[in-house]
Every structure is written in structure tokens, then in C-alpha cells.
């Protein structure tokens, strides 16, 4: 860094110039560059004071939908398109993707996040970043880390053990950083185990840079920095927004007083400068709005998950079958959540228009509920009215509401098929949900229409999972439509009429009820702390560990065709495990199958989930054809975090690879021996007798000591501890006794002055 770049300049450039720009330093010839919100569109703030009013841009499906494609290549194409739109608006860094895990289905920002699984999240996000950055636009991987709720999000401490932190909540970040090198990583608002993410040296420097080799810039979430000096010392480079004159002055004073190493401030300033230089190298560009809308439609169609289709109600015929389209969401679509990711779309498709255009038969519409009614949550009562009461005294039965329901029922009776559009109304940054239930007016509409027309299809619009039991038992077809972006209306019509064969799969479990969820007792915490009490057993891992029934399992999704699996074969390689399985499209339509490989290690020495996703592939297969699907499992993804050694360890043994169509639909299995990593835990005086005997060298040395004691016991000269050591049954009782304490017992076969020598010999 040149000498003319003063300490004051360095401080100034490490905070923003305004809300959406870095600070320019004219004396050093450093211009400002633009950063703006993503992650499913380019949310460039329009002129004026409204932060959420944006310049029109393609609103692609949010992550809650795009993750259900289980297709990394599709996410890469989305990233490329976002890169083109960023270049068209002179944006240097797009703030995304969001890869925090969906710890609870109540998370208000779940619609911006991919999954409850770190492998699925990491693989999809890696390709999103690669696509965006291939266009010369930087990604901002967020929110680092353990940002899984909106309640008290600016202050709450996520209290989580290190193994869970490493294997679950940091694993996706590690994958994206090491494989895609995002230009920036955005630190979260919250604390991790009592330390703010913005001030967490272990997180931002020791893990992110020293262990993972991150080469880019760490930027704060907007307003996440509490203390600029502590933040720079921890490894944060750019505080947003700005300017922050007081923070700049505090940095200069800390350097002058010797309270902050000037090299740290120089390094942060240089990283900002490097980012600006890199951004200046990208060419200007434009984009084809119609082509991007078509891509948004393709992704949305691939995101739809068919949950139920009894009797082949779907796909709908394109002629000769009259359709009742019911529910205001068909006409006024919900297509994204609220908050900083809210995009102003270039156009907006609604399902009613698209369904009408897709068929030559009659299409009739009834509103069913108002947008205002949709916002009303079900009443909290000890019992719900039965179906005979729902029309008059049930939820949503106000006079206007009853009139809308009666109209919808009348239309449903007069048509061959009824398609009911319902969903959630509350997914937004800044607030968590308080229920998984549909609004009362929506539940009433489903109940009344299903009673009037046995061929009822329910289409959901929601940013996080909704409870579907017991009402889904009354309808033959259920379509999970998520929040699908600006082309969602077209995509829904594509799926309903079979122009697109549904291939979406659930990236999160749908529980029977909220109380079943692994996070239920520890979300969202209290008094500034949230305890991650379920540990490793997030999402499907917890449901499977408890053998808990669910409404629809992780990875689940139906198709208009069927797939059969042959016998899986698995072999260990230098880089991991290769799995091969023949998959046949045994139905009459071309379609996609998402082949999923889950791994377990029976008899593992450490606690594990019954099965964990380790590889997957979305494969297009023509009707009647067979494809050999090859899945590669990285050896590193088989490792667990050994807290004793402070590193990743692959435990040796016969791993069970279960291949199937969901975490609960395993079609074929294979066992593969995997060699162990060299991982010996050093013995200490605090190691137990059992641990000493479990170690070959320790067992030899301790065995010799006990043998001497046993010999003495046979001569009648030994004390009671030596006699116990000579009895195998009694020796088992000593297994949990630390060696140091054993030496304190009268008559012990070990003396305290022997222990250090014993430890030295054992670890030599």
C-alpha cells in the first residue's frame, strides 16, 4: 500500500461511503463501487428515500424454491443471469447467497435460505457463486454464522457446541469458500457462544482465513458492527453502511495509542482496495429481460414439489375439462418474502391468467378470501369446529367471508376440477413466524371446496413449510408451490397441465406438527441466548433419530412418471466413495429423478444421525430408458469433527450407503469399507483406565503394570486395588477411573510418581 495512503484514509475506506457504496478516497485514486441486495434478484434502490423501492429486475425464485430443484447446474445458470443484471446496473457485489440452515420452520427468513442440510446447501450455493462471479461480479456469502432466526437477531447469542458448529452450521460456508472463493463473506448480526460475529477472531480469522484459506473481504451485515476497533482486530474489513466518522476516529486513535496493530488496519484497507480494483476490471453489459423471465419460469417449474396425486388428478387435460380456480393468490400472487431481498419484477405472471391460457375448456374464478382475510391466523382454541360447523361458525365465517366461500363452493360444484390457491402471509426479514398453520380463511376454503368437488387440487404459496395435516387427507392432489418469483404463475400452469413434469424435491422436512420438530424446545431462546439443544440432529436427522413420523420427508417429491432403482455399487477411492446405481424411468413420460445418497456408519464410536445426505444428482431420463447414475462422495464429507484433536477425522469402517428418492424412501443399499485417518488421541494422566486399555501402546504399558500388581496379589502382598486389577469383572468397574485418581487409592498398582513416565512412554 502506497505511503500516501494515510491511517485516516485506511480508516475511511473500511466503512461505507453511504448505504450502497464503498467510500472513495480521491487522494489515492480509489473510486466508490456499488453493492446491493440479492440474493434472488438485483435490488438496486430506486431514487428517493424508500429503501425497499427498487429498479425493475428479474425476480428469480427465492432459495426456498430453487433449492427444491436439487440441481446445481440450474443454480449456476441463475447466478450467471444475476451477474449479467448486476453488470447492467453497474453493481460490483451482489449480497448473496444466503446459506444459513433452516434450524426451525418458524424462521422468518427461511425463504432466503436453501435447506436444513449443509451438503445440499453447500453444493447449490457453490454453483450460484461460480455463476455470478464468472461474470466479474462478486458474491457476498451470508450470514456468517449461525444466523437461524430473526427473533432478537441483532443481539442473541447462538450457543452451540463445537462439533455441531463445525459439522452442521459451518460446513456449507466451508464448502463455498474453499471451492468457489466468493469475493466477500458477510458477517452476521448475532453472537456465537457469547461473542458478536463481527468481533469473533476465531470465526473471521482463525477459521475463515487461516483454516479455509479465504482470500477475499469480510463485510458486515448492515448495522452488525458494535465496535469498529474490535471488528478490525477480529478480521472484519468493511463496515456497512457508512460513513462512520466516529468509528474512523476510533480506529486512528487506537492505532496511535498502540491499542490496534496498524498492520491489521492496513490489511483490511488493502482488501477493500483490492475489491474495488477487481470490480473495475469487469466490462459493462446488458441483459435480455425476456430470456431471463424464461429462465425464471424454467427454475420455478423445476422447483414445484408434487406432494400428493391420488387417482391421477394431475396433470389436467388441456381441453374438455372445466377448471374452477379458487383463491385470491391465483390472481394476486405471493412470489417473494419481505425485507431487504424484495425485488421489483420486470413483469409478473399470475396463475389465473396462465391457467386460462393453457386450456380450451372453461375456466371460472372465485376469490374465496380477501388478502386481508388471508392475514388472519387461526383462532387459538382447545378444539376446532367439525366440518358441519365450519360453514357457519368456523374460522373465516364473517359475513363477507361467508359470501366469498359460498361463491367459491358454487363455482367448484359446477366444474370438473377445482384448483384452490392458498398459502402463508408472513415470511419476512426481522420477524419469525408463530405458527405453521394456514390462515383460517384458507383452511375454510379448502374444507368447503373439497366437500363440494372430489377432484380438488390444492396449490400452496409459502416461504417456509406449512402444516398439512389433517386437511390434506381430504384432497386428492397437493402441490407445494413455494414462493416462485415473477414467473411463478406460468410455472404453476406448466406443472398443472403437464408441460413440465414435476421434479422438485423437499429441501426441508414437513412435520406433522410443530411440537415434533427437533428445535421445538429451544427456539427462539430467551434473555439473549438460544441454545442449540438438538445438536447434530437438525431437521431430518432429528426426525430419523427418533423414528418420528412426518407429513412429508426430506427429499420427497412425486412425478407424473415412475422410477425404479437397480442394485447400487459403491467403491472407495482416493478422494472418497463412488456410487453407481441404474435408474429406470418405468412410466410413460419423460421426467427427472433426484437420486439421493445417504451414509451411515453402524457401530460408530461417535454419535451420528441414522443417515446423512452426502451426494445427489438430478437426472433426466426418457420414458422406458435406464441411466447409470454416478454419485461421488467426497472423503472430507465422511469426516466428523474430533473435539479432542481439534480437526476433521474420517473414522474407518464399513459405511452403509443408502440410495433412494428421499430420506425415508431408500431403494437400494451398498456397504463400502473406508480406511481410517491416522488419528491417535494422546493419553494423559486424566485419561481413564478404559481409554488407556483402548489404546494399543497404552494397553501394553498399563497391562504390564497391572500384571506386576496381579503377581504381587498372588503372593498375598498387594493391597485391595491390586486385587481388583487382577479380577476382570472388577477391572471393568475401574474403566471410567482417571489414571491420576487411581494412583491416589491405597494399594494402587500405580504410584503418582510413575504417571508422568508412563504418559511419556505411551505417547512416544
Amino acid at each position: 500500500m502506497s505511503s500516501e495512503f494515510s491511517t485516516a484514509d485506511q480508516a475511511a475506506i473500511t466503512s461505507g461511503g453511504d448505504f450502497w457504496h464503498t467510500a472513495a478516497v480521491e487522494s489515492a485514486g480509489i473510486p466508490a463501487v456499488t453493492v446491493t441486495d440479492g440474493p434472488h434478484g438485483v435490488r438496486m434502490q430506486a431514487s428517493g428515500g424508500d429503501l425497499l423501492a427498487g429498479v425493475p429486475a428479474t425476480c428469480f425464485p427465492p432459495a426456498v424454491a430453487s433449492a427444491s430443484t436439487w440441481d446445481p447446474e440450474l443454480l449456476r445458470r441463475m447466478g450467471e443471469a444475476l451477474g449479467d443484471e448486476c453488470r447492467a446496473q453497474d453493481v460490483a457485489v451482489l449480497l448473496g447467497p444466503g446459506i444459513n440452515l433452516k434450524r426451525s420452520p418458524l424462521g422468518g427468513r427461511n425463504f432466503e435460505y436453501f435447506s436444513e442440510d449443509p451438503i445440499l446447501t453447500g453444493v447449490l450455493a457453490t454453483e450460484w457463486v461460480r455463476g455470478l462471479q464468472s461474470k466479474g461480479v462478486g458474491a457476498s456469502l451470508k450470514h456468517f454464522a449461525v444466523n437461524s432466526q430473526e427473533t432478537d437477531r441483532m443481539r442473541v447469542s447462538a450457543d452451540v457446541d463445537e462439533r455441531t458448529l463445525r459439522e452442521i452450521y459451518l460446513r456449507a460456508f466451508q464448502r463455498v469458500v474453499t471451492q468457489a472463493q466468493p469475493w466477500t463473506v458477510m458477517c452476521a448480526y448475532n453472537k456465537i457462544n457469547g461473542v458478536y460475529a463481527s468481533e469473533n477472531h476465531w470465526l473471521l480469522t482463525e477459521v475463515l482465513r487461516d483454516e479455509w484459506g479465504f482470500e477475499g473481504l469480510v463485510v458486515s451485515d448492515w448495522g452488525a458492527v458494535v465496535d469498529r476497533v474490535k471488528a478490525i482486530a477480529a478480521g472484519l474489513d468493511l463496515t456497512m453502511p457508512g460513513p462512520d466518522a466516529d468509528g474512523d476516529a476510533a480506529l486512528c486513535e487506537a492505532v496511535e495509542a498502540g491499542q490496534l496493530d496498524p498492520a491489521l488496519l492496513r490489511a483490511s484497507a488493502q482488501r477493500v482496495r483490492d475489491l474495488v480494483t477487481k470490480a473495475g476490471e469487469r466490462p459493462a453489459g446488458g441483459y435480455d429481460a425476456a430470456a431471463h423471465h424464461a429462465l425464471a419460469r424454467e427454475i420455478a417449474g423445476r422447483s414445484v414439489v408434487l406432494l400428493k396425486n391420488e387417482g391421477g388428478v394431475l396433470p389436467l387435460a388441456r381441453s374438455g375439462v372445466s377448471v374452477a380456480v379458487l383463491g385470491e393468490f391465483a390472481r394476486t400472487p405471493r412470489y417473494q418474502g419481505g425485507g431487504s431481498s424484495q425485488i421489483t419484477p420486470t413483469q409478473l405472471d399470475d396463475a389465473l391468467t396462465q391457467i386460462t391460457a393453457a386450456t380450451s375448456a372453461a375456466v371460472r374464478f372465485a376469490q374465496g378470501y380477501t388478502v386481508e382475510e388471508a392475514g388472519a391466523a387461526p383462532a387459538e382454541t382447545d378444539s376446532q369446529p367439525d366440518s358441519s360447523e365450519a360453514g357457519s361458525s368456523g374460522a373465516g365465517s364473517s359475513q363477507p367471508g361467508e359470501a366469498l366461500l359460498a361463491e367459491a363452493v358454487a363455482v367448484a360444484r359446477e366444474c370438473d376440477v377445482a384448483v384452490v390457491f392458498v398459502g402463508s402471509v408472513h415470511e419476512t426479514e426481522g420477524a419469525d413466524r408463530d405458527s405453521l398453520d394456514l390462515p383460517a380463511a384458507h383452511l375454510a376454503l379448502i374444507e368447503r371446496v373439497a366437500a363440494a368437488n372430489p377432484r380438488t387440487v390444492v396449490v400452496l404459496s409459502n416461504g417456509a413449510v406449512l402444516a398439512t395435516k389433517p386437511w390434506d387427507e381430504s384432497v386428492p392432489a397437493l402441490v407445494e408451490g413455494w414462493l416462485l418469483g415473477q414467473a411463478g404463475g406460468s410455472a404453476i400452469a406448466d406443472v398443472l397441465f403437464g408441460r413440465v413434469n414435476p421434479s422438485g424435491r423437499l429441501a426441508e422436512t414437513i412435520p406433522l406438527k410443530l411440537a415434533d420438530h427437533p428445535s421445538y424446545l429451544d427456539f427462539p431462546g430467551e434473555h439473549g441466548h438460544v441454545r442449540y439443544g438438538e445438536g447434530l440432529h437438525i431437521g431430518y436427522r432429528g426426525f430419523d433419530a427418533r423414528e418420528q413420523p412426518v407429513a412429508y420427508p426430506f427429499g420427497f417429491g412425486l412425478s407424473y412418471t415412475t422410477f425404479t432403482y437397480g442394485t447400487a455399487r459403491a467403491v472407495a477411492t482416493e478422494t472418497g466413495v463412488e456410487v453407481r446405481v441404474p435408474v429406470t424411468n418405468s412410466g410413460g413420460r419423460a421426467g427427472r429423478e433426484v437420486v439421493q445418497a445417504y451414509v451411515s456408519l453402524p457401530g460408530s464410536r461417535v454419535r451420528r444421525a441414522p443417515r446423512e445426505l452426502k451426494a445427489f444428482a438430478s437426472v433426466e431420463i426418457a420414458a422406458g430408458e435406464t441411466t447409470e447414475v454416478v454419485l461421488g462422495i467426497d472423503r472430507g464429507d465422511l469426516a466428523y469433527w474430533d473435539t479432542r484433536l481439534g480437526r476433521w477425522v474420517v473414522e474407518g469402517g464399513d459405511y452403509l450407503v443408502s440410495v433412494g428418492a428421499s430420506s425415508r424412501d431408500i431403494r437400494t443399499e451398498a456397504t463400502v469399507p473406508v480406511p481410517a485417518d491416522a488419528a491417535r488421541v494422546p493419553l494423559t494422566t486424566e485419561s481413564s483406565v478404559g481409554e488407556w486399555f483402548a489404546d494399543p501402546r497404552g494397553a501394553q504399558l498399563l497391562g504390564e503394570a497391572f500384571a506386576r500388581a496381579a503377581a504381587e496379589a498372588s503372593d498375598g502382598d498387594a493391597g485391595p486395588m491390586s486385587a481388583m486389577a487382577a479380577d476382570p469383572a472388577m477391572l471393568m468397574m475401574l474403566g471410567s477411573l482417571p489414571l491420576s485418581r487411581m494412583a491416589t487409592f491405597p494399594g494402587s498398582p500405580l504410584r503418582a510418581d510413575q504417571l508422568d513416565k508412563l504418559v511419556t512412554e505411551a505417547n512416544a
Side-chain angles (χ1 to χ4, degrees):
M1 185 172 295
S2 60
S3 58
E4 73 272 11
F5 206 62
S6 65
T7 300
D9 289 337
Q10 294 167 27
I13 202 174
T14 58
S15 67
D18 58 25
F19 220 88
W20 302 116
H21 297 88
T22 61
V25 181
E26 294 182 6
S27 61
I30 301 173
V33 297
T34 302
V35 302
T36 198
D37 281 322
H40 57 271
V42 182
R43 198 187 71 79
M44 174 71 77
Q45 184 180 339
S47 58
D50 186 352
L51 289 176
L52 298 183
V55 174
T58 307
C59 181
F60 288 96
V64 64
S66 62
S68 292
T69 69
W70 289 60
D71 190 338
E73 178 58 30
L74 204 54
L75 269 292
R76 184 184 181 96
R77 291 170 57 201
M78 178 177 168
E80 291 169 350
L82 289 168
D84 287 338
E85 297 200 22
C86 283
R87 284 167 51 186
Q89 298 192 50
D90 195 27
V91 171
V93 176
L94 187 66
L95 303 178
I99 67 167
N100 296 109
L101 297 189
K102 300 180 183 187
R103 178 184 175 232
S104 166
L106 297 179
R109 215 166 176 177
N110 278 7
F111 68 93
E112 287 189 60
Y113 300 146
F114 288 107
S115 177
E116 65 189 20
D117 181 82
I119 298 296
L120 178 58
T121 294
V123 171
L124 295 178
T126 294
E127 293 308 309
W128 189 102
V129 170
R130 284 173 171 163
L132 180 77
Q133 295 192 165
S134 73
K135 299 294 185 174
V137 176
S140 193
L141 194 65
K142 65 183 189 181
H143 305 90
F144 193 55
V146 207
N147 182 190
S148 300
Q149 67 186 63
E150 296 301 285
T151 301
D152 200 20
R153 65 175 180 159
M154 305 292 289
R155 304 174 303 178
V156 71
S157 174
D159 298 340
V160 54
D161 68 273
E162 187 178 6
R163 188 176 167 211
T164 298
L165 187 60
R166 294 281 194 162
E167 292 185 29
I168 302 295
Y169 293 98
L170 296 185
R171 202 163 205 157
F173 284 99
Q174 181 176 4
R175 188 182 205 98
V176 181
V177 167
T178 56
Q179 296 188 9
Q181 277 294 341
W183 288 14
T184 75
V185 168
M186 181 189 291
C187 85
Y189 289 123
N190 53 281
K191 300 170 186 172
I192 298 101
N193 294 324
V195 181
Y196 278 110
S198 62
E199 300 174 4
N200 199 313
H201 186 273
W202 175 84
L203 183 73
L204 301 183
T205 296
E206 296 173 42
V207 173
L208 180 61
R209 295 194 187 280
D210 296 345
E211 290 185 24
W212 299 350
F214 178 58
E215 299 169 357
L217 174 147
V218 177
V219 60
S220 75
D221 202 344
W222 269 230
V225 172
V226 179
D227 185 311
R228 287 275 300 283
V229 175
K230 290 181 179 179
I232 291 288
L236 186 134
D237 303 307
L238 176 61
T239 294
M240 291 297 291
D244 177 22
D246 290 343
D248 294 348
L251 286 172
C252 293
E253 292 169 5
V255 168
E256 185 176 350
Q259 297 168 348
L260 176 66
D261 185 347
L264 296 177
L265 180 57
R266 281 198 303 272
S268 289
Q270 185 62 52
R271 292 185 192 115
V272 178
R273 196 174 192 175
D274 291 344
L275 175 72
V276 172
T277 300
K278 187 183 294 186
E281 296 170 352
R282 74 192 189 285
Y287 71 97
D288 183 334
H292 282 197
H293 184 77
L295 176 60
R297 179 174 179 171
E298 179 185 356
I299 298 170
R302 294 274 303 282
S303 301
V304 172
V305 183
L306 181 61
L307 294 177
K308 189 176 182 182
N309 191 25
E310 293 180 352
V313 173
L314 295 175
L316 302 176
R318 301 183 202 180
S319 63
V321 176
S322 58
V323 181
V325 178
L326 310 171
E328 182 59 33
F329 283 173
R331 181 171 63 178
T332 308
R334 285 205 70 228
Y335 58 98
Q336 63 180 331
S340 62
S341 67
Q342 192 168 303
I343 306 298
T344 300
T346 57
Q347 66 181 85
L348 183 59
D349 298 349
D350 68 88
L352 175 59
T353 299
Q354 300 302 321
I355 289 172
T356 303
T359 177
S360 60
V363 175
R364 297 189 58 190
F365 173 72
Q367 185 178 2
Y369 53 82
T370 65
V371 173
E372 290 75 19
E373 284 179 308
E380 294 292 338
T381 59
D382 293 332
S383 60
Q384 295 295 324
D386 62 29
S387 58
S388 65
E389 297 173 323
S392 57
S393 61
S397 60
S398 64
Q399 283 189 342
E402 179 58 33
L404 292 175
L405 281 172
E407 178 191 15
V409 169
V411 171
R413 285 199 182 103
E414 295 171 3
C415 293
D416 298 316
V417 176
V419 183
V420 180
F421 285 79
V422 294
S424 59
V425 295
H426 175 58
E427 291 103 2
T428 183
E429 178 179 357
D432 292 319
R433 301 193 300 173
D434 57 11
S435 171
L436 301 187
D437 294 326
L438 282 167
H442 294 207
L443 290 169
L445 179 63
I446 293 170
E447 183 177 19
R448 297 278 290 277
V449 170
N453 190 324
R455 291 172 58 81
T456 293
V457 179
V458 173
V459 179
L460 297 175
S461 299
N462 46 293
V465 296
L466 293 167
T468 63
K469 301 296 180 184
W471 59 260
D472 64 346
E473 296 168 8
S474 68
V475 298
L478 176 58
V479 175
E480 177 54 89
W482 306 120
L483 304 179
L484 291 175
Q486 69 179 50
S490 295
I492 288 293
D494 289 340
V495 170
L496 292 178
F497 288 95
R499 292 188 298 239
V500 169
N501 190 344
S503 60
R505 301 293 184 263
L506 292 177
E508 52 190 305
T509 307
I510 302 179
L512 289 174
K513 59 183 184 297
L514 180 61
D516 290 342
H517 204 275
S519 66
Y520 178 68
L521 295 177
D522 291 303
F523 181 93
E526 59 191 6
H527 304 151
H529 289 266
V530 54
R531 188 176 71 93
Y532 281 54
E534 69 279 11
L536 298 167
H537 298 294
I538 179 177
Y540 71 91
R541 290 167 165 82
F543 288 108
D544 290 351
R546 293 177 295 159
E547 299 182 350
Q548 182 82 43
V550 300
Y552 299 97
F554 177 81
F556 176 80
L558 300 176
S559 170
Y560 294 152
T561 189
T562 55
F563 298 93
T564 57
Y565 288 59
T567 301
R569 292 173 290 123
V571 296
T573 67
E574 289 185 2
T575 58
V577 173
E578 182 182 87
V579 184
R580 292 179 177 268
V581 59
V583 179
T584 301
N585 183 338
S586 50
R589 291 172 176 262
R592 281 184 171 271
E593 176 70 333
V594 177
V595 182
Q596 304 160 40
Y598 296 84
V599 171
S600 60
L601 180 58
S604 173
R605 296 190 301 270
V606 296
R607 187 177 185 184
R608 298 176 186 258
R611 65 193 64 87
E612 297 179 297
L613 181 73
K614 295 300 179 184
F616 60 91
S618 174
V619 186
E620 189 167 11
I621 308 175
E625 302 249 333
T626 298
T627 297
E628 184 176 57
V629 179
V630 181
L631 302 171
I633 300 173
D634 291 341
R635 180 175 172 86
D637 289 334
L638 297 175
Y640 73 94
W641 183 261
D642 193 314
T643 55
R644 302 165 302 174
L645 297 174
R647 65 179 176 89
W648 294 100
V649 172
V650 175
E651 185 180 359
D654 291 334
Y655 283 74
L656 180 64
V657 181
S658 303
V659 182
S662 81
S663 67
R664 297 274 175 103
D665 184 7
I666 303 304
R667 307 290 182 88
T668 178
E669 294 183 321
T671 298
V672 56
V674 175
D677 284 343
R680 180 180 182 273
V681 178
L683 293 169
T684 71
T685 58
E686 289 305 302
S687 299
S688 68
V689 171
E691 289 167 342
W692 274 80
F693 274 114
D695 181 272
R697 178 60 174 159
Q700 176 189 350
L701 294 172
L702 206 57
E704 292 172 355
F706 277 36
R708 289 192 296 271
E712 294 173 0
S714 65
D715 294 334
D717 297 330
M721 289 294 292
S722 294
M724 291 175 68
D727 184 341
M730 298 301 292
L731 188 59
M732 288 182 66
M733 189 179 76
L734 298 176
S736 62
L737 189 67
L739 217 60
S740 61
R741 286 183 233 176
M742 185 178 189
T744 65
F745 280 80
S748 171
L750 299 174
R751 300 192 311 273
D753 60 358
Q754 296 175 318
L755 296 185
D756 289 343
K757 180 181 178 182
L758 198 63
V759 168
T760 300
E761 291 179 354
N763 295 324

